[in-house]
Structures are given as structure tokens and as C-alpha cells.
Amino acid sequence: MEFKSDTDTEVLVQLVEYIMVKKNLPLVEAVQVALHQVIGAYAIAIIDKRDPRQIIAARKQSPLVVGIGKDEFFLGSDASPIIDYTDKVVYLEDGNIAVIRLDEGLKVISILGKEQELKVKTVDIDLGQIEKGGYEHFMLKEIFEQPECLMNCMRGRINVEGNHVTLSAMIDYRQQLLGAKRIVIVACGTSWHAGLIAGQLFESLCRIPCEVEYASEFRYRNPVVTKDDVVIAISQSGETADTLAAIQLAKEQGAFIFGICNAIGSSIPRATNTGTYIHVGPEIGVASTKAFTGQVTVLSMLALCLAAERKTISEDLYKQMVKELTQIPDKMEQALKTNEQIEHLAPIFTYAKNCLYLGRGYNYPLALEGALKLKEISYIHAEGYPAAEMKHGPIALIDSEMPVFVIATRDRLYEKVISNIQEVRARGGRVTALVTEGDTQIQKFADHVITLPDTPECFQPLIASIPLQLLAYHIAVCKGKDVDRPRNLAKSVTVE
Ligand code: AGP
């Protein structure tokens, strides 16, 4: 057979056609034969123009959802674009094929042609949740809805007195979770940043050793995983190919897998032993905002549950921490009031070619997250760095052209961060600092100060993420960028 294209999708169509003609097979059987020869992940839908009343769809390691309407069907990589038309969907299982005929309806078969049970699910997504609701961009809407999202995330999990957390996974899988000798977190991008914060929580509150890994590295580096490990996979979309592969690897080595996802019914929750949804509603903006704070909230609740059960924190501290968590939505509302100030500051930074984000402790992952937000939507190069590491190299970059954003909220490392700010200032760096209300020291050294409500340091990233998201948003808008659909990026990274 002669290749007529080097695009994989086009090659596959040619292969199906070739098999149909050569073996005189109907389309569905030709697809089955062709897919036996295909290596790698795919989600495909094929129509033969000679029989347009039929669609054959198939998936392997890439998501595919079939929506069932009245005399019509829809295909998508997740349910959100479909719910405008129907709430009845079938999540196609890996390796299965959907045969859709307008006259006969939907049938699901295995790649060997065996008919499979049709599992129709009703999706519960409110249409209003995927509209902009008066905001100029989904990203801005999603930033502003975080207080409400976090209330939804905690609802039914934290009692009305606000002093106790119950996670159903903790009840159903108590033994497996409490038996963890080690926690390994796997995730990508923003979800990995949430994992870095959680890693600190699991170690400091629960005294469980924790490693946080990029799923894309973990899956290829032959890691040591044992049946005493609990592997936590974090993913907004629940479809990230590398995270799914990392889960698969950890499963094969006998680890217990806990998923933290947003998209209900997506592949990761289906591949894990148990987990907790973050329940922040569909996230449409490519830059993750409310999913990040939802993930950190669920991970905080999980850490508090484990710490209470393992008695690694006192009961009083546990209750106090739970209470503090319930106050986060109100404090986020306050943090959102910085929007106007940030909108005014944003034009100053549009000239920048490079920006630096500094933080320490729990705020270090947030520095990484702030830098990622700026990079992905404004295309300004940005680095997140642990503030004390500056003197080991990056401080050489500092000059008056370099905006430096420092998360300098009041915590154990506050005085040390002040020294780091002074080091930057001494080299002519322009400092914008995020500080705790009542702070009078930092304004002496910083060019701009953004004030945030006080909260325990482990929850500070939940509050301080707001101005960093707003900063990235307004800078990107000032630069005229397509905030919700940044170039070269996809919302779900279903390829490795
Ligand atoms: C963040 O703003 C990103 N667009 C990206 O880093 C994202 O967090 C990453 O691709 C992981 O996605 P997931 O949470 O859906 O697995």
C-alpha cells in the first residue's frame, strides 16, 4: 500500500478505505481490522460519504463521549459542548467502538465485534455554568466565581458547625488511606502546582512522606512504587494522557490510587480506586484558575482528615484549621477587591520581556503557578523561584527592566522574604509584593503592594492565587491576547 499522507488521521482513513475495498468489508468491520493495526492513542469518528446515515466512532487512551438526542447524536471529547443539546451521554470505554445509525440508534461493540452493554449516563451540568454570565472572558468569570466554587467544594464535606471534615472516600477506604506508608502525587501543569502545596501539607500535618511528580516524568522513569503507597492523581479535565499513564503504571505495581478531578465521569475518576471531585463546575478558560483553588481545597480537606485520624495534630488545632478553611470563600471575596488596583497596575508590566515570581514555603508552588498563568496567556517569559535560591544564580538576571512579584504574606518565613526583597531591590529590581493586611514593613522596599486578608500559611495560596490570576489576566488583556484560547494550548491534553 502506498502512503498518500503523513498526517496520522488521514493515513487511518486511507487504511480503512483500503481494507474495505481489498477485503470487501462493511465500514464497521474495516474499522475494527484497521484499529488492530494502529499503535498509540486516538479518538476518531468516521463517515463513509456513500452511507452518510452512519458514523463509526472509536477511542483508545483519548476521551470520547456520545450524546444521545432525539433522532440525533453528538460526539465530543467531553460532555460540556454536548449538554446544550442533550443530557444523555455514553462515555465510550477504552478500545470500544460506537456504531451510530440514524435508523437503528447507538450500539457499542468491542474491537472484536462483541456487543457491549450500553451505559447511558445523565450529566448534571447547568448550562449557565458554561456561559460567560456578563464577564468579558471565561477566565475572569472563573476567577470571580471562586468563593462560590469553594463553598460548593466544601458543602456536605464540612459540617455546619465548621469544625469537622468528612470525605466519603475516607469512610469507604479508611484502611487503605490510613495504611499509606508514603503518598506519591502525580499531575501536570497547574494540577502539579496544587500537588506541590499538598505535598507540604501531607508531610507537615500528617507526617506522611510525600513525593510530588510530574506525571510525564514519573511514567517513563521506572519509579519505585509499592502496595503501601497511595498515589494521588490530580487533574481538572480527568483526561490528561500522562496522568492516566502514571495511574496505570502505579496500579500495575499495586498502589492504591486516589483521584482528584473536576470533570465528572471523565477517564481518571474511572481509572482510580476512589477519589474526590472538586465540584467547581466546568472550567472553560484554558488557564486553570478555579480548578487550582478547588484542588488545593480538596487536598487540604484530605490532609486534615488524615491528620485527625492519625492524631498527628491536636483536636483543637484540627478544629481551628477546619474553621479557617470554611472562612476562605469570604477572604477570597476580599482578595477579589484587588481587581481594580491590579487592572491599573497591569499596563506597567506589558513592556516586560521577562518576569520573576518569588515565594517560600507554601508560597513557592504559588510562585510557579503565578508564572505559569502569565506565560500561558500573555506570552511573557516568567519564572517561579524559591526566593532564597535567587542568590544561587537567578539574581544575576535582575535589573530595572525585570518586574519581580514576591508573595510576602505573613508566615514563618516572613523576615527571610523581606531580606530576599532587599536583595532584589539592591540590584535595581522592581518589586510588587503581595502582603498581609496590616503589614507596614514591606512597603518601604516594594514599588507596589497588594494587600490580602490573613489566613494560616498553609491556606495562603488559596487567597494569594487571586491577585496572581488577575495580574496575568489583565496583562494579557492589555496586550490584546486571546485570554480564553491562548495559542498552542488545549484545555485537555489528551496526547502525551
Ligand atoms: C494550566 O493553566 C494549564 N492550562 C495546564 O497546565 C493544566 O493544568 C495541565 O494541562 C493539566 O491539566 P489537567 O488538570 O486537566 O490534568
Side-chain angles (χ1 to χ4, degrees):
M1 183 182 171
E2 192 191 318
F3 274 81
K4 293 190 182 148
S5 165
D6 53 13
T7 303
D8 49 7
T9 327
E10 290 173 5
V11 170
L12 182 57
V13 175
Q14 297 291 336
L15 178 63
V16 171
E17 170 77 12
Y18 174 79
I19 294 168
M20 274 177 92
V21 174
K22 181 127 196 259
K23 302 203 171 184
N24 192 23
L25 288 176
L27 178 63
V28 61
E29 286 177 37
V31 171
Q32 285 169 244
V33 175
L35 291 182
H36 268 295
Q37 300 171 42
V38 169
I39 298 169
Y42 55 78
I44 52 162
I46 304 178
I47 302 177
D48 182 343
K49 66 179 177 195
R50 292 157 294 201
D51 182 13
R53 297 174 66 78
Q54 172 180 257
I55 301 179
I56 309 294
R59 67 160 283 215
K60 193 172 149 208
Q61 291 158 25
S62 268
L64 193 60
V65 182
V66 185
I68 307 171
K70 195 173 175 306
D71 301 326
E72 54 185 358
F73 294 89
F74 306 87
L75 290 161
S77 57
D78 67 66
S80 31
I82 292 174
I83 55 150
D84 232 344
Y85 309 95
T86 176
D87 62 353
K88 299 277 174 288
V89 300
V90 170
Y91 293 97
L92 205 59
E93 296 285 336
D94 219 19
N96 278 354
I97 298 172
V99 183
I100 304 166
R101 285 206 65 88
L102 267 187
D103 40 4
E104 290 167 19
L106 167 68
K107 189 168 84 175
V108 175
I109 59 171
S110 71
I111 200 165
L112 296 171
K114 189 161 178 275
E115 189 152 349
Q116 306 291 302
E117 185 194 346
L118 202 62
K119 294 180 192 151
V120 182
K121 298 237 159 72
T122 305
V123 279
D124 183 21
I125 303 177
D126 174 4
L127 255 185
Q129 289 182 315
I130 55 167
E131 280 161 7
K132 285 192 205 146
Y135 288 94
E136 206 181 325
H137 297 99
F138 281 111
M139 183 180 175
L140 192 61
K141 177 191 171 228
E142 287 160 5
I143 292 172
F144 270 86
E145 67 193 14
Q146 288 177 98
E148 192 191 334
C149 291
L150 293 206
M151 284 197 281
N152 292 338
C153 175
M154 289 186 264
R155 184 166 300 122
R157 292 166 174 169
I158 297 186
N159 61 354
V160 276
E161 292 78 28
N163 59 13
H164 185 63
V165 185
T166 311
L167 293 180
S168 56
M170 240 349 256
I171 299 171
D172 300 341
Y173 296 92
R174 194 171 179 278
Q175 199 191 330
Q176 290 88 335
L177 294 171
L178 286 179
K181 296 243 175 355
R182 179 178 74 145
I183 292 175
V184 179
I185 297 178
V186 290
C188 299
T190 287
S191 300
W192 181 72
H193 297 154
L196 288 177
I197 294 168
Q200 297 189 34
L201 280 168
F202 289 130
E203 295 211 333
S204 74
L205 296 182
C206 319
R207 309 308 296 158
I208 305 174
C210 182
E211 278 158 39
V212 188
E213 303 248 9
Y214 276 125
S216 53
E217 287 296 314
F218 178 84
R219 64 178 288 194
Y220 287 117
R221 68 165 186 79
N222 194 16
V224 176
V225 183
T226 74
K227 58 180 177 25
D228 295 325
D229 290 332
V230 167
V231 171
I232 300 181
I234 311 172
S235 173
Q236 186 288 128
S237 61
E239 299 295 352
T240 300
D242 284 321
T243 309
L244 262 168
I247 291 173
Q248 202 47 47
L249 184 151
K251 243 185 181 174
E252 283 159 15
Q253 320 250 345
F256 184 79
I257 321 286
F258 190 104
I260 294 184
C261 294
N262 190 33
I264 315 276
S266 52
S267 303
I268 291 177
R270 286 182 286 134
T272 49
N273 296 101
T274 187
T276 303
Y277 281 114
I278 61 173
H279 287 315
V280 298
E283 189 180 65
I284 311 294
V286 166
S288 190
T289 51
K290 61 179 182 171
F292 172 72
T293 47
Q295 289 163 346
V296 174
T297 303
V298 164
L299 287 157
S300 303
M301 288 194 284
L302 181 60
L304 286 167
C305 281
L306 287 170
E309 294 271 1
R310 289 167 58 91
K311 303 207 182 318
T312 43
I313 56 172
S314 70
E315 201 172 327
D316 281 351
L317 180 60
Y318 164 74
K319 286 186 175 161
Q320 192 190 321
M321 299 279 282
V322 177
K323 189 101 214 147
E324 290 284 356
L325 198 54
T326 62
Q327 289 167 4
I328 294 293
D330 283 345
K331 293 183 181 178
M332 275 184 156
E333 291 287 4
Q334 277 188 59
L336 283 165
K337 295 197 177 121
T338 60
N339 184 43
E340 218 173 299
Q341 179 194 4
I342 292 170
E343 192 175 357
H344 279 105
L345 283 178
I348 307 173
F349 303 116
T350 49
Y351 71 88
K353 296 251 177 311
N354 303 287
C355 289
L356 203 54
Y357 287 71
L358 302 178
R360 298 186 73 156
Y362 289 100
N363 287 332
Y364 159 52
L366 190 62
L368 297 176
E369 175 58 8
L372 174 60
K373 287 290 87 85
L374 187 70
K375 278 186 265 214
E376 67 180 330
I377 58 171
S378 75
Y379 318 145
I380 295 175
H381 169 246
E383 292 273 354
Y385 234 79
E389 282 296 300
M390 288 291 292
K391 53 187 164 301
H392 299 289
I395 204 154
L397 292 168
I398 303 284
D399 62 16
S400 59
E401 306 277 287
M402 169 82 93
V404 182
F405 301 105
V406 187
I407 308 145
T409 46
R410 203 181 300 281
D411 57 22
R412 281 169 308 137
L413 295 164
Y414 174 74
E415 297 296 338
K416 308 241 174 252
V417 175
I418 293 187
S419 311
N420 300 138
I421 292 177
Q422 286 167 319
E423 286 157 16
V424 171
R425 277 306 293 257
R427 274 103 192 150
R430 320 289 294 176
V431 174
T432 301
L434 272 53
V435 304
T436 307
E437 58 193 353
D439 189 302
T440 50
Q441 285 204 60
I442 292 181
Q443 48 193 299
K444 293 182 218 143
F445 316 110
D447 298 85
H448 310 285
V449 162
I450 297 168
T451 303
L452 297 170
D454 197 10
T455 191
E457 64 177 87
C458 62
F459 301 145
Q460 195 60 61
L462 289 168
I463 306 295
S465 56
I466 302 257
L468 296 181
Q469 295 164 353
L470 288 168
L471 200 59
Y473 172 80
H474 287 298
I475 293 174
V477 169
C478 278
K479 294 191 75 167
K481 304 299 177 203
D482 186 348
V483 172
D484 285 333
R485 270 185 238 90
R487 69 186 181 203
N488 308 338
L489 293 176
K491 184 66 186 158
S492 301
V493 185
T494 56
V495 290
E496 65 169 297

